[in-house]
Amino acid sequence: MNGSKTLYEHEGKEAVYTFTILPPWRRTILAYIGYVLFFIGFVYTVVTVYTRGLRAIIRERTAEIREQKDEIEEK
């Protein structure tokens, strides 16, 4: 045995420690769930903002077409 010995040639007991190394917080299940939720929220926000812009353009163009229609009907 390769343990330590005292002055009187008595071998000491071997110390054994067990431990677990946990992953960093950014690689845990909760972090991955957060990443997915953030991505979904980001995509939803981008789509919503883009859609609002398109709706504004559609309203503007529709108003122009209605004005042109009214002008043609008056003539």
Side-chain angles (χ1 to χ4, degrees):
M1 191 175 228
N2 292 334
S4 61
K5 290 185 180 183
T6 64
L7 292 173
Y8 304 108
E9 298 294 322
H10 291 96
E11 283 195 31
K13 292 184 180 179
E14 186 175 320
V16 178
Y17 297 100
T18 58
F19 56 91
T20 304
I21 299 174
L22 298 175
W25 66 269
R26 62 188 176 275
R27 298 199 60 193
T28 61
I29 298 285
L30 284 176
Y32 288 130
I33 291 170
Y35 300 150
V36 169
L37 292 176
F38 177 78
F39 179 74
I40 290 170
F42 179 76
V43 169
Y44 176 78
T45 302
V46 168
V47 169
T48 302
V49 169
Y50 185 70
T51 304
R52 283 184 193 164
L54 287 177
R55 286 183 181 172
I57 292 171
I58 291 170
R59 275 190 234 110
E60 181 182 320
R61 300 278 168 88
T62 304
E64 289 176 9
I65 291 172
R66 285 186 180 150
E67 285 177 19
Q68 290 174 358
K69 176 185 165 236
D70 292 341
E71 288 176 9
I72 292 173
E73 286 179 351
E74 288 177 6
K75 293 180 181 180

